[in-house]
Amino acid sequence: MLPFGKWRPDIYDLNTQFAGEASGVLPGATSKRPWPQLSIYTNALAAVCRGATIAISSTGAYSLFAGTATRLYKFNSSTLNWDNVTRTVGGDYALGTDDRWQFAQFGFYLYATNIADTLQRFDIDSGTNFAAVSGSPPQARYIRTIGDQIFLGSLASLPNRVHWSGRNNPVFWTAGGGQDCDYQDFPDGGFVRGMTGIRGGYIFQDTAVRQFQPSQGREIYQFQQIEGAQGLVAPDSLVTHMGMSYYVGLDGFVAIGPQGSQSIGQDAVDDWFLSNVDIDRVALTIGARDPGRPRIFWLFPTSTSGYVLDHVICYDITLDEWTHAPLQASVIFQAATAGTGLDSLDTNYPDVDAMTVSLDSRIFAGGAPLIAAFDGNHKMSFFTGSNMAATVETAEFQAIPFRRGYVRGIAPLTDASAVTIQVSKRENLNATATWGSASSLNNQGVAPARSSGRYHRVRASIAAGAPWNDLRGVEIDAVDAGAR
């Protein structure tokens, strides 16, 4: 039996336990699992989404917010529309090319920033529109709630600066004026690109990472450079989980935490990613953590233009395993459902027979945490649809060591009845492998192969929408085909 093991496209996989391909599937402990397609949940935004977030009110209710290049919106669960909650003073916003909105919740206010406009906030409990934050905060690209302060990074006039608010007072921004409000400039490392932390944390720059912690001296925080050559290439790729920060660095995927930093993509997917991403637009890569389990999804562009990206890579932290899939979306983020009652169900889905969403779906349970994305039509969707098209391959193998093998049949270890099997072959390692035609399973659950060669590989494919739960590996029926 050959398993569909961990996907490691960067390594030479001959006679290994690694998978040669893992597209449209999610990592599982002993098998590959289905990856649900996007299922539309809302009506469309007025334009392409340039940032989205979830906020929680004082009563525990969830609200969804999204931004375009010119406006901010709040989701209306009664109509499935996006209500315009743009500021009433100052007109439309002016998001720059390739910029996105960033959001942070402090107390029961939601703060939103982009480098071209003054810092905005919204009263989650009772607000109707965003408004400028008082106290003259600086304009900044990045925002983060850390401890009991708001941090702003990459200021309009000083992109190498972080500026933090008064303690428990996010409308106090007078540096050195008390309340532990101040700023810090960094002499090297380039622009500030992101921030993470709880009481202390990390400042990410173009080519450096700095750790900071509360000071026992006169200064408020102490900063120490801990990385001098590894920076944050894609600001929106920064994702945190259990004290660790994960991001796209200069040479691939990196994790950093109390034990230091490590390359999680080295000898796994870094080379594959850097050869497939549009390197001129890699900064648009955006990440999100699955609230249901420790997985991170990074949405990135390959050869597309505009703000709708076209591919996603998944990393399972616990299993240390990767998969990937094509996906058309502009933003991916953690979200939650607002819940749907019978009255609004009848309004939003007047034809139950025509619904593309199962009535058992988690999207009808209020407050269900899910990962969401805005699709190419600007509609927010959850990954709760039918299964994606799946393609998984074994490593290349020698059916008969030191001799040619004749592969007669393949029995896939899966509960998918509609799986098809292909086998590749080649006579020597400097030749190009050729794939045979796809075969369906016979009554014994075996796909005929009839492939003669020295080296083989097996590909299993399942069509989009087909039901299945596990795809573990294949059993191979092969005999000696001679030495030549």
Side-chain angles (χ1 to χ4, degrees), residues 9 14 35 65 67 129 150 159 172 242 258 271 280 292 326 350 420 459 475:
L14 178 64
W35 191 333
F65 293 84
N129 292 88
I150 283 184
F172 186 89
M242 296 183 67
D271 292 343
D280 294 329
T420 60
R459 175 187 293 161
E475 290 181 327

Side-chain angles (χ1 to χ4, degrees), residues 166-344:
R167 201 170 293 279
N168 279 315
N169 191 356
V171 296
F172 186 89
W173 292 94
T174 304
Q179 302 189 35
D180 286 346
C181 174
D182 211 339
Y183 61 81
Q184 179 70 43
D185 295 333
F186 303 114
D188 60 355
F191 291 4
V192 173
R193 296 300 184 188
M195 303 154 290
T196 63
I198 301 175
R199 291 188 68 246
Y202 302 95
I203 304 296
F204 297 85
Q205 299 173 254
D206 289 321
T207 59
V209 180
R210 284 179 159 84
Q211 187 175 26
F212 69 98
Q213 57 188 2
S215 172
Q216 301 300 317
R218 296 182 59 187
E219 69 270 30
I220 301 167
Y221 293 103
Q222 291 181 329
F223 294 85
Q224 178 183 7
Q225 183 172 313
I226 58 174
E227 285 284 354
Q230 182 63 266
L232 176 57
V233 168
D236 291 310
S237 71
L238 188 59
V239 178
T240 60
H241 175 66
M242 296 183 67
M244 296 290 292
S245 298
Y246 301 83
Y247 62 97
V248 177
L250 292 172
D251 53 8
F253 294 96
V254 182
I256 190 168
Q259 305 304 316
S261 64
Q262 64 182 47
S263 174
I264 59 173
Q266 185 176 3
D267 295 328
V269 299
D270 282 347
D271 292 343
W272 177 91
F273 175 75
L274 293 173
S275 64
N276 281 275
V277 68
D278 182 346
I279 202 66
D280 294 329
R281 304 173 67 241
V282 65
L284 288 178
T285 301
I286 181 170
R289 182 178 64 84
D290 187 340
R293 64 169 299 143
R295 288 186 185 132
I296 300 174
F297 297 88
W298 281 286
L299 179 68
F300 65 93
T302 58
S303 59
T304 62
S305 60
Y307 300 107
V308 177
L309 313 184
D310 62 344
H311 215 88
V312 63
I313 189 168
C314 170
Y315 177 61
D316 190 296
I317 298 171
T318 303
L319 300 177
D320 187 29
E321 186 170 350
W322 301 82
T323 60
H324 70 108
L327 179 72
Q328 296 284 327
S330 57
V331 168
I332 190 168
F333 70 110
Q334 276 195 39
T337 60
T340 303
L342 292 176
D343 292 338
S344 55

Side-chain angles (χ1 to χ4, degrees), residues 104-107 111 119 121 133-138 140 142-153 155 161-184 195 199 212 220-221 223:
Q105 182 169 345
F106 192 100
Y111 291 78
L119 183 64
R121 80 170 184 173
V133 176
S134 61
S136 300
Y142 311 114
I143 186 170
R144 183 82 178 195
T145 298
I146 299 178
D148 50 12
Q149 294 169 288
I150 283 184
F151 277 62
L152 296 174
L155 310 189
R161 172 178 291 185
V162 291
H163 190 137
W164 54 91
S165 71
R167 201 170 293 279
N168 279 315
N169 191 356
V171 296
F172 186 89
W173 292 94
T174 304
Q179 302 189 35
D180 286 346
C181 174
D182 211 339
Y183 61 81
Q184 179 70 43
M195 303 154 290
R199 291 188 68 246
F212 69 98
I220 301 167
Y221 293 103
F223 294 85

Side-chain angles (χ1 to χ4, degrees), residues 50 68-71 87 90-97 99 101 114-118:
R50 301 278 290 276
T68 66
T70 58
R71 295 183 177 182
R87 61 190 177 187
D92 285 350
Y93 304 110
L95 207 65
T97 301
D99 282 342
W101 286 97
N114 76 77
I115 194 68
D117 292 288
T118 56

